[in-house]
Amino acid sequence: MQAQIRNRALADATDSAKVVSRLGILPLLTPGDISHGLTPGRLDEIDQQLRTNLLGREVAAVRVWAPGERIVYANQRDLIGRTFQGNDELEEALGGHAVSEIFDPSKAAGADPTIGLYHRFGGLFEVYVPLVFGSDTAPAGAFELYLPYRPIETVIAHDTRNVYELIGLGLLLLWLILMPIAYRTARRMRDQTAKLTDLLSRERETVQGLREIDRMKSDFVSMASHELRTPLTSILGFVKTLQQPAHGGDAELREEFLGRMERQSDRLLRLVDQLLQAARLQTEGADPKIVSIDFTELVREVGGTVEDRRIQLIADLPKDLSRLWTDRTMVEYILTNLLGNAAKYSRPGGRVTIGARNSFGNFRFWVQDEGPGIEPDQLGRLFEPFWQADTSLTREVGGVGLGLYIVKQFTLALRGDVVVESKVGEGTRFTVLLPNVRTLPSLGLKGKGRSGPVQERESVGAGTSS
């Protein structure tokens, strides 16, 4: 138990170092600072920032390393520019992995400047974090943080003492409660023990659920911040370039940049729209407004908005396709999200097919791509809000994990169903089945899709005409 408490405290310290790296170090540096070294002015600026906001009792030392194990910055300024070989943890950090350990002076060379810090603070905990800028995949360098180990050791001792005290108090209370019951009847004691075990199991499940929610929240905040910042940064870069006198008279360059700014603005607008749609679904639900729509015409409109012109968009729509009675806005949103998702995961030159069929009084349409496919164990979570197979900020495709969630909620609001079929390496197919009627039965809770979806007498994913 003590080992678990100790590992948890050290993990918390490591996570804190990662936050310091992301929020306190990366904004101060550029890749050029690491590759070419800091000018005296930049060195003084960064040194002032770190000494004001970071260095002190809670942080013993800070070092920034460039590839080749060369120190670019250190609060011990006589170390700047020096190279130290044979640091395995640093090599791992430069390779993209955060590592940490308790500093062991017996393993350090006699001239290691860290030994002085070790004696000064009475022990050190060192953390190495990769420094990755923007959308880069490889670290430009590494950030090394030395934390005094005594405060961490104090937290471990305090938590250990509290745990043992709580265990002792719990055992005493349990004995006082269970002993009279044991004297009265053994069966009652067994029943009570079973109840306590069940309650403990539920409590653990609740705690695990809360931790998962907290993790999802943190992942979402990171992803949303990254996804919103990327188009904003791009737009700002184009604006600053166009403001330069050297480029003001270049009509061709201005036209190109304005086009890119428009595309990035559209991307930003879609992200904001997804966030607003998800929030509205959570608070207000969805209230369908049934009208008659020409699905073929809707496909032409939505297909014309696809940004990725590298794909081949194929329409599999029979001439006798009936008009669809449904909510046009919701179906347009469903189709736009499924088509955008397919285009995003398709390889250059790949085909994306939009098909539809009349289906025994219902209406079925699908979007199929030739992308990488989805692992079978991930299919069940595709429609969860904020969930993505790859949650890292370096993933190849963007998004905050709301598109398919909104697709599912709108489909349920229309009393329909959506099914996904996928083969790894071959592609993915999303099929939507909707009732083709002028009025929808009451859904009970507005827009929440509590009533069951429509049923049909053939396989939803078959893709054959009726």
Side-chain angles (χ1 to χ4, degrees):
M1 182 178 295
Q2 186 173 9
Q4 293 177 345
I5 295 173
R6 176 177 177 274
N7 291 337
R8 184 181 63 188
L10 296 181
D12 289 343
T14 303
D15 290 340
S16 298
K18 293 179 182 178
V19 173
V20 169
S21 173
R22 184 172 68 252
L23 302 181
I25 300 298
L26 274 177
L28 298 178
L29 297 170
T30 66
D33 290 335
I34 295 178
S35 60
H36 303 302
L38 297 169
T39 64
R42 290 281 292 139
L43 178 60
D44 290 339
E45 177 187 351
I46 294 174
D47 194 59
Q48 179 64 31
Q49 289 282 344
L50 293 182
R51 291 185 183 278
T52 301
N53 302 322
L54 188 61
L55 292 167
R57 291 185 306 162
E58 297 181 356
V59 175
V62 171
R63 296 170 190 171
V64 176
W65 297 82
E69 303 184 11
R70 174 176 53 86
I71 295 180
V72 176
Y73 170 81
N75 61 304
Q76 297 168 287
R77 297 185 68 159
D78 58 321
L79 299 179
I80 296 176
R82 295 178 60 181
T83 301
F84 296 85
Q85 301 295 330
N87 190 328
D88 296 337
E89 290 74 23
L90 174 58
E91 291 178 359
E92 288 191 48
L94 291 173
H97 304 284
V99 293
S100 59
E101 66 173 1
I102 299 172
F103 178 75
D104 185 357
S106 65
K107 297 180 180 180
D112 192 331
T114 311
I115 295 179
L117 291 172
Y118 172 85
H119 292 297
R120 175 184 172 188
F121 288 94
L124 294 173
F125 180 69
E126 52 183 332
V127 184
Y128 295 83
V129 183
L131 291 176
V132 180
F133 291 89
S135 60
D136 294 340
T137 57
F143 167 58
E144 182 183 15
L145 184 69
Y146 284 94
L147 302 174
Y149 185 66
R150 282 182 179 173
I152 301 175
E153 195 172 38
T154 301
V155 171
I156 295 173
H158 180 267
D159 289 349
T160 302
R161 184 172 61 253
N162 286 345
V163 168
Y164 283 123
E165 288 177 354
L166 288 174
I167 291 175
L169 180 59
L171 290 175
L172 177 60
L173 291 175
L174 189 63
W175 182 83
L176 292 174
I177 293 172
L178 294 182
M179 281 304 294
I181 299 176
Y183 284 117
R184 294 189 190 102
T185 171
R187 176 173 296 179
R188 178 180 293 182
M189 184 186 66
R190 288 194 299 269
D191 293 343
Q192 189 69 18
T193 303
K195 291 179 181 178
L196 290 173
T197 302
D198 182 60
L199 288 174
L200 181 59
S201 176
R202 293 182 183 180
E203 182 69 16
R204 288 173 177 170
E205 292 176 358
T206 301
V207 171
Q208 184 62 34
L210 292 174
R211 288 176 177 172
E212 178 65 15
I213 291 173
D214 184 66
R215 184 196 63 78
M216 290 176 60
K217 178 197 70 175
S218 299
D219 288 346
F220 167 70
V221 170
S222 298
M223 288 187 296
S225 300
H226 177 76
E227 293 297 330
L228 292 172
R229 183 176 181 178
T230 298
L232 285 174
T233 302
S234 179
I235 292 171
L236 183 60
F238 290 134
V239 170
K240 289 184 176 180
T241 301
L242 290 176
Q243 287 177 337
Q244 296 179 6
H247 303 295
D250 191 336
E252 182 178 350
L253 180 66
R254 183 171 61 253
E255 187 69 22
E256 178 186 352
F257 278 18
L258 288 174
R260 293 185 181 182
M261 291 166 62
E262 181 181 16
R263 290 192 292 272
Q264 293 297 332
S265 299
D266 290 341
R267 175 184 176 185
L268 184 61
L269 183 61
R270 287 195 299 272
L271 288 171
V272 174
D273 180 60
Q274 283 190 343
L275 294 172
L276 293 176
Q277 288 282 7
R280 190 176 297 115
L281 284 169
Q282 292 290 333
T283 57
E284 302 175 9
D287 187 13
K289 297 177 177 56
I290 307 302
V291 296
S292 176
I293 65 174
D294 184 339
F295 188 80
T296 301
E297 181 62 29
L298 180 61
V299 169
R300 292 195 190 99
E301 294 179 12
V302 173
T305 64
V306 178
E307 292 184 357
D308 195 341
R309 301 303 178 183
R310 298 175 303 171
I311 65 168
Q312 301 179 45
L313 189 58
I314 300 173
D316 181 11
L317 306 172
K319 294 182 179 180
D320 62 345
L321 192 64
S322 64
R323 295 182 67 85
L324 173 61
W325 287 89
T326 189
D327 186 297
R328 191 184 192 281
T329 301
M330 291 187 185
V331 173
E332 180 180 359
Y333 200 95
I334 292 170
L335 190 59
T336 299
N337 271 271
L338 292 180
L339 183 57
N341 198 64
K344 184 166 57 175
Y345 286 96
S346 293
R347 65 180 185 275
R351 295 177 299 178
V352 174
T353 302
I354 305 176
R357 295 290 187 274
N358 304 317
S359 184
F360 299 102
N362 300 319
F363 191 92
R364 184 177 73 246
F365 65 91
W366 63 89
V367 176
Q368 183 167 351
D369 62 57
E370 297 177 344
I374 305 169
E375 296 291 344
D377 60 345
Q378 296 177 351
L379 291 175
R381 302 194 63 186
L382 284 180
F383 299 105
E384 295 181 12
F386 311 129
W387 186 88
Q388 297 189 87
D390 183 1
T391 59
S392 66
L393 297 184
T394 57
R395 61 192 186 279
E396 294 183 2
V397 295
V400 293
L402 286 174
L404 292 179
Y405 163 74
I406 298 174
V407 167
K408 181 71 171 182
Q409 297 305 309
F410 278 170
T411 304
L412 292 177
L414 296 172
R415 288 299 304 274
D417 196 12
V418 56
V419 177
V420 57
E421 299 171 292
S422 184
K423 291 184 179 181
V424 175
E426 296 184 15
T428 302
R429 174 171 173 159
F430 288 88
T431 302
V432 178
L433 179 68
L434 298 176
N436 197 7
V437 293
R438 299 194 179 196
T439 59
L440 292 178
S442 173
L443 294 177
L445 293 178
K446 180 180 178 183
K448 296 297 183 181
R450 300 298 184 190
S451 301
V454 297
Q455 302 291 327
E456 64 172 340
R457 293 188 294 263
E458 62 175 330
S459 170
V460 172
T464 57
S465 60
S466 56

